[in-house]
Amino acid sequence: MMEKMKSIPSFIQDHFFSFQPELVSEIKACGKLITFQADELMMDIGQKVEIIPLIVSGSVKVFREDADDHELFMYYLRAGEACAITMICSAREGYSKIKAIPEEETTVIAVPISKLDEWMIQYKTWYYFVMDTYQDRFEELLKVVDGIAFHQMDERLIEYLEKNAEASQRRVVNKTHQQMAQELNSSREVITRLLKKLEQRGRVKVSRNQIELLS
């Protein structure tokens, strides 16, 4: 409850503390706090990008999806982060190339996309934040590409489970086998078989809609 009552400057102090005072004042003037519920669609492919969401609580799953509803998990966003792909899309043609769905109740400071370029010139702290965001997400995407190109599916599954656990700060991942298969662009049967193998190796403990990481 106390978290919901916080103001934009308080959230910035907690999660974007490198922002200079003048920038904080601008964000306070034009920004808006928005709370998304778990599994609520936050951004869709083809949607016009009108805001930059600065995450201040919760976590957001970012992924690609094709015409047949096959998903490819990309990365998570947590408090203190923003989506670089959203920034890039808005700077180009203005339409999203990704889907973003909160894993839990998530609050963001919504900043008008029109401020992106303006603040890049005006505020060094914003410039460095955007550049660091680009670099961090680029490295995440390289890991996804490496996983697809060089890693076996069992390695990708373990990495996926570890990212989920890191995002929720728990060693238990509450997902169905079908959900994991969709996000890893695989089949439920393959995921079920791999989880059984990982359980036999002592890496995970599998129960209904729940996987516990053991090591």
Side-chain angles (χ1 to χ4, degrees):
M1 182 65 68
M2 291 298 294
E3 187 79 0
K4 291 183 180 180
M5 294 172 61
K6 292 175 88 172
S7 64
I8 286 178
S10 296
F11 276 123
I12 293 175
Q13 185 177 9
D14 288 346
H15 303 293
F16 301 92
F17 45 82
S18 65
F19 288 175
Q20 62 210 81
E22 298 85 356
L23 175 58
V24 174
S25 295
E26 286 230 36
I27 295 174
K28 179 183 177 182
C30 70
K32 180 181 179 183
L33 286 174
I34 301 176
T35 297
F36 296 89
Q37 300 305 311
D39 298 325
E40 179 182 352
L41 185 61
M42 183 173 166
M43 180 65 66
D44 200 0
I45 295 171
Q47 179 179 336
K48 187 169 180 58
V49 179
E50 297 178 331
I51 64 166
I52 302 168
L54 305 176
I55 314 296
V56 294
S57 71
S59 63
V60 179
K61 180 181 71 175
V62 177
F63 59 99
R64 287 278 293 162
E65 186 178 73
D66 67 13
D68 297 319
D69 294 330
H70 296 136
E71 296 179 1
L72 179 61
F73 170 75
M74 298 170 71
Y75 50 77
Y76 280 103
L77 296 173
R78 291 172 284 274
E81 298 180 329
C83 183
I85 294 178
T86 299
M87 293 177 177
I88 293 170
C89 291
S90 63
R92 303 284 295 180
E93 62 277 336
Y95 295 92
S96 175
K97 302 294 186 184
I98 54 90
K99 270 195 169 186
I101 295 180
E103 290 279 281
E104 57 189 307
E105 184 177 274
T106 296
T107 300
V108 308
I109 303 173
V111 175
I113 198 66
S114 58
K115 296 293 183 180
L116 176 64
D117 292 337
E118 178 185 329
W119 289 351
M120 289 283 284
I121 298 170
Q122 277 187 287
Y123 303 114
K124 282 189 176 181
T125 54
W126 178 257
Y127 172 85
Y128 290 132
F129 170 72
V130 172
M131 290 297 102
D132 288 344
T133 297
Y134 286 162
Q135 181 175 338
D136 291 345
R137 299 289 80 85
F138 179 67
E139 289 174 358
E140 291 276 4
L141 291 177
L142 284 181
K143 290 178 183 178
V144 172
V145 173
D146 287 348
I148 294 171
F150 307 120
H151 296 170
Q152 298 296 323
M153 181 55 77
D154 58 346
E155 295 177 73
R156 290 179 58 200
L157 179 56
I158 279 291
E159 184 176 3
Y160 166 85
L161 292 171
E162 288 175 345
K163 284 185 177 180
N164 272 267
E166 182 183 354
S168 64
Q169 298 184 330
R170 299 172 62 234
R171 297 299 289 172
V172 174
V173 177
N174 295 307
K175 299 273 189 179
T176 67
H177 295 190
Q178 183 61 42
Q179 285 175 313
M180 289 185 282
Q182 286 179 328
E183 293 176 15
L184 289 167
N185 199 18
S186 183
S187 69
R188 183 182 59 79
E189 291 77 14
V190 168
I191 297 301
T192 299
R193 185 172 68 250
L194 290 175
L195 285 172
K196 286 181 179 178
K197 288 184 177 180
L198 291 172
E199 189 170 37
Q200 290 169 358
R201 296 178 198 164
R203 300 291 302 277
V204 300
K205 180 180 179 181
V206 181
S207 53
R208 184 175 178 81
N209 298 340
Q210 183 173 287
I211 298 92
E212 181 182 356
L213 285 161
L214 301 179
S215 60

